[in-house]
Structure formats: C-alpha cells, structure tokens
C-alpha cells in the first residue's frame, strides 16, 4: 500500500467506506493468522523507572507513584498461573529499572523455561546489546519495544534520552532481530503534535522493519505528566493533529494488518480503556488476533499506572481470564493453543520448509 492510499484511509470519515477497510483487515487476519486468538499473560513486575518520558505515569519525575519490584518467586507464581489458565506466553513488562540486573532477569527467565513450556516475552525498555543477548541465551523468545512515533522531533520531545545518550529504538530493534528474537514494536495514536503524515510513516516503518508483533493504542493523557498537562490543558492543536480516538486506533490496527499480514497484533488495554464495553472485541474484528490478560498480582496493579483509568486493575487473573473468554465467545472466536509464534517469524526462520511445503 502506498502512502497516498494510507493517508486516504486515515482521513476517511464515511462509515460505509470504513466498513470496507474493516472487512479487508478481518479477511487478511483470518487468512494469515486464523480465527484463534492467542492469550498472553501480562506481568507488570516493576514500576521503577529511571526515564523521563513525558507521556508515561511511571516516569522517574512522578513522585506520586508507590514504587514496587516483584520478587523472582512472585514472578514465578504468575508464570504458574499462566500455565494453569492455559496461556502459551508470559509477557514480563516493567519500567526501565537498572536495579533489575541482566543476571537477575536471566535467572527469572531460566526458572520459567525450566519449569514450564511458556514462551517468554520481554518488555523492559532500552537495554545494552550484551544484556539483550544474555536474556536471549537464558531462553527469552520475544521482545516488545515500541518506537512510539516515527517522527524524530516528536519522539525527542516525548522520550528524552538518558543524560548524554541518544535514544535509538530503531537500532535496538535491529539488534533484537540479529539476536534471533521475535520482534515487536508499535506506536501511540493521537500524541499532541502527531499528524496524519506521521501515522502514515509509522505504518510504512512497520512494513520496513518486518515486525512480528505490533502494539497500537490510543495516547491517554496522564495528569501527572508534562505531556498530559499539555493535552488536558487544551493546548492549541494544528489542523493536521490526529485525534487520540477509538476510531483512529481501529484505522491504525486495520492498516497495520494490511501492511504486515503475518504479524501478531494485540487488541490493547489502552483501546479497551476508551471503550470498556466492546473495544477489545472491535479491535479483534478489525485486524487484531491477540489479547493480553493481566496476570499482575492485584495488590500491585493500581501502582502500574502508565495512564489513568486503566481497565481491570481490581480484578484477579482468574476473573480477567473469564472475562476474555466470554468476549471471545461473543464474537465467535476460539482460544489459541500452544505458544502462538508469529507466522511472519516462522517463515523467516524456516524459509526452506516453507518452499518445500508449497
Ligand atoms: N518501559 C517499557 C514498557 C513501557 S509500557 C518500554 O519503555 O518499552 C508499554 C507501552 O505503554 C509504551 O511503549 C507506550 O507506548 C504505552 N504507554 C505509556 N504511557 C502511555 C499513555 N499515557 N497512553 C497510552 N499508552 C501509553
């Protein structure tokens, strides 16, 4: 798809034409990754963060956060819960916390891999190549690192580097690929200053990077962050400003499916936060094929406040799981079994088998 076509869809307002986009994305999803929805258990194991991202409630400068880091035993307990609930993957996510050393996290990964057959996904921010390599050696399968926006000026404004360092997430994504990880990235939709052209470029980058996983969610202003104050304060928006809306997020999910047909795409929690009744289901009907039920112990959930009004912060893992199952049944989608590796990744790893098979 060329940029002009992408831009046309991003600006489309006619409901009947948009129905065509939803149907194309849904048909592509069905043909490429099937009807089964994979469940990834999310463990938000630490909200300690040294970064100052202006959009995120966990930024170091936010003094109002009660900080926590789960123990290796507590994380292992969540992994056992994932197995009990029939999940194929556990996602370990945190702020950028250097006191979670490479050796410590490698130990956690090794324990999970020794005791379970879960795939392990990491989402712990920007770390050195040596650390990424150590975790891969310990058995980590996948890594999520959103580039957040492909507009470099906007990125620098919302995601300052550590003192004296340049934050280059695209370079890290290439390292992850070299190390043999299944690679996931993604963006937020509706950041103050983000234009239609920026979103079109984001989609072209998804294609260029050949991503295995793509997470897309609306930007949700957090009142205790600099960007949130700007957004909530009603800063003057340019004519090209994209809305941080549910509709714009569905368009991005649908177009991401068309750009990267064999990728795994979650219907995200941020989307469900905008539409609690049916956001998850609509995401799954417009290109997405993954859900990420929260496995974080209930007592920690409220403190992992990357944005406000996050859904599912008082429930237990069991209740989240039941809720997801009911939602899937309502749209006649089945639950995936096994690890749910991305077909795109599989094709890259086994090009010969692919040729023999066809
Ligand atoms: N520290 C890790 C994990 C961050 S949380 C990292 O930086 O990769 C995962 C994602 O949540 C982020 O990549 C960002 O896209 C999203 N996020 C953070 N704050 C948000 C907000 N206010 N609204 C919507 N999404 C947000």
């Amino acid at each position: 798809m060329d940029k002009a076509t992408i831009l046309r869809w991003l600006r489309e307002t006619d409901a009947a034409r948009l129905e065509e986009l939803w149907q194309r994305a849904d048909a592509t999803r069905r043909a490429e990754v099937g009807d089964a929805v994979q469940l990834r258990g999310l463990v938000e194991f630490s909200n300690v963060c040294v970064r100052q991202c202006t959009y995120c409630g966990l930024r170091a400068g936010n003094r109002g956060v009660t900080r926590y880091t789960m123990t290796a035993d507590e994380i292992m307990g969540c992994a056992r819960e994932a197995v009990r609930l029939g999940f194929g993957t556990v996602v370990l996510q945190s702020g950028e916390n250097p006191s979670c050393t490479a050796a410590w996290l490698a130990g956690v990964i090794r324990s999970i891999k020794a005791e379970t057959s879960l795939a392990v996904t990491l989402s712990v921010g920007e770390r050195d190549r040596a650390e990424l390599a150590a975790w891969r050696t310990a058995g980590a399968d996948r890594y999520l690192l959103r580039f957040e926006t492909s507009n470099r000026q906007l990125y620098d404004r919302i995601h300052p580097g550590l003192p004296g360092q340049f934050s280059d997430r695209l370079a890290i994504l290439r390292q992850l690929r070299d190390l043999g990880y299944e690679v996931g990235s993604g963006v937020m939709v509706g950041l103050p200053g983000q234009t239609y052209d920026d979103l079109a470029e984001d989609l072209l980058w998804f294609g260029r990077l050949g991503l295995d996983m793509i997470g897309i969610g609306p930007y949700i202003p957090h009142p205790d962050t600099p960007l949130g104050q700007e957004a909530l304060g009603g800063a003057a928006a340019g004519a090209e400003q994209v809305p941080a809306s549910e509709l714009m997020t569905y368009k991005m999910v649908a177009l991401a499916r068309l750009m990267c047909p064999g990728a795994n795409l979650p219907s995200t929690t941020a989307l469900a936060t905008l539409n609690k009744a049916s956001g998850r289901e609509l995401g799954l009907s417009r290109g997405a094929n993954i859900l990420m039920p929260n496995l974080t112990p209930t007592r920690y959930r409220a403190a992992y406040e990357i944005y406000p009004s996050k859904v599912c912060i008082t429930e237990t893992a069991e209740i989240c799981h039941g809720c997801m199952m009911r939602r899937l049944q309502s749209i006649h989608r089945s639950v995936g079994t096994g690890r749910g590796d991305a077909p795109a990744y599989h094709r890259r790893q086994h090009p010969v088998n692919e040729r023999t098979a066809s």
Side-chain angles (χ1 to χ4, degrees):
M1 205 179 325
D2 61 13
K3 192 164 167 183
T5 312
I6 294 173
L7 278 167
R8 243 190 343 269
W9 280 122
L10 290 173
R11 294 180 196 278
E12 184 61 61
T13 53
D14 181 79
R17 294 245 31 225
L18 283 171
E19 196 53 46
E20 201 184 299
L21 177 61
W22 311 145
Q23 282 180 15
R24 271 175 59 190
D26 198 42
T28 305
R29 186 271 308 154
R30 187 173 307 117
E32 295 284 333
V33 295
D35 274 333
V37 172
Q38 296 291 337
L39 302 182
R40 323 287 208 204
L42 177 64
V43 184
E44 299 155 331
F45 70 90
S46 175
N47 67 355
V48 175
C49 193
V50 295
R51 303 300 292 259
Q52 295 290 4
C53 304
T54 62
Y55 48 87
C56 182
L58 302 186
R59 68 199 303 273
N62 187 359
R63 303 266 168 244
V65 181
T66 308
R67 305 283 171 171
Y68 71 88
T69 301
M70 288 166 57
T71 65
D73 279 349
E74 285 176 312
I75 299 173
M76 200 58 221
C78 294
R80 291 191 189 110
E81 183 79 351
V83 173
R84 205 174 62 75
L85 295 170
F87 302 166
T89 300
V90 72
V91 181
L92 306 182
Q93 189 179 85
S94 69
E96 231 168 273
N97 179 357
S99 48
C100 292
T101 62
W104 176 81
L105 188 54
V108 172
I109 297 162
R110 273 195 298 271
S111 305
I112 296 174
K113 299 304 272 191
E115 195 185 308
T116 75
S117 53
L118 293 168
V120 172
T121 304
L122 301 178
S123 172
V124 300
E126 296 159 42
R127 304 283 297 231
D128 294 349
R129 190 188 168 102
E131 299 177 303
L132 302 174
W135 297 331
R136 178 79 186 127
T137 306
D141 301 277
R142 310 182 187 132
Y143 205 102
L144 302 175
L145 187 74
R146 293 187 180 180
F147 60 78
E148 314 294 3
T149 171
S150 58
N151 176 330
R152 185 72 218 188
Q153 281 89 45
L154 178 58
Y155 181 78
D156 286 340
R157 212 160 352 114
I158 65 168
H159 193 99
L162 284 168
Q165 283 181 39
F166 182 74
S167 164
D168 189 350
R169 289 196 161 201
L170 295 179
I172 300 174
L173 291 171
R174 281 190 285 273
Q175 293 177 356
L176 291 165
R177 162 96 357 118
D178 289 348
L179 292 168
Y181 280 97
E182 239 187 89
V183 180
S185 193
V187 295
M188 285 177 280
V189 175
L191 290 161
Q194 193 177 37
T195 66
Y196 288 86
D197 195 78
D198 293 337
L199 291 188
E201 287 292 338
D202 293 347
L203 287 158
L204 292 171
W205 270 104
F206 294 162
R208 271 181 222 130
L209 292 166
L211 296 175
D212 304 305
M213 303 171 285
I214 306 172
I216 298 168
Y219 164 62
I220 302 174
H222 190 303
D224 302 327
T225 61
L227 199 69
Q229 277 163 17
E230 193 185 307
L232 296 167
E240 287 296 301
Q241 170 72 48
V242 287
S245 67
E246 205 187 329
L247 181 65
M248 194 56 66
T249 306
Y250 296 134
K251 289 181 183 175
M252 285 294 285
V253 170
L255 292 165
R257 170 60 67 201
L258 298 178
M259 293 302 290
C260 299
N264 278 329
L265 267 74
S267 186
T268 56
T269 306
L271 181 54
T273 296
L274 290 194
N275 178 350
K276 295 185 172 57
S278 59
R280 291 206 196 264
E281 292 87 329
L282 283 166
L284 290 173
S285 308
R286 296 172 174 180
N289 69 318
I290 302 281
L291 286 177
M292 296 173 69
N294 201 329
L295 278 183
T296 310
T298 312
R299 65 182 173 284
Y300 294 125
R301 285 193 194 186
Y304 199 85
E305 196 190 48
I306 51 184
Y307 49 79
S309 316
K310 209 166 136 219
V311 289
C312 318
I313 59 163
T314 55
E315 284 79 0
T316 61
E318 185 96 44
I319 289 173
C320 282
H321 177 239
C323 167
M324 299 282 182
M325 299 298 268
R326 275 191 303 281
R327 289 178 189 274
L328 287 185
Q329 273 162 13
S330 77
I331 54 169
H332 310 292
R333 295 276 281 278
S334 56
V335 178
T337 52
R339 297 167 23 125
D341 294 325
Y345 179 79
H346 186 81
R347 278 199 285 274
R348 245 195 352 272
Q349 297 299 305
H350 306 286
V352 178
N353 296 357
E354 186 75 10
R355 268 201 298 280
T356 327
S358 53

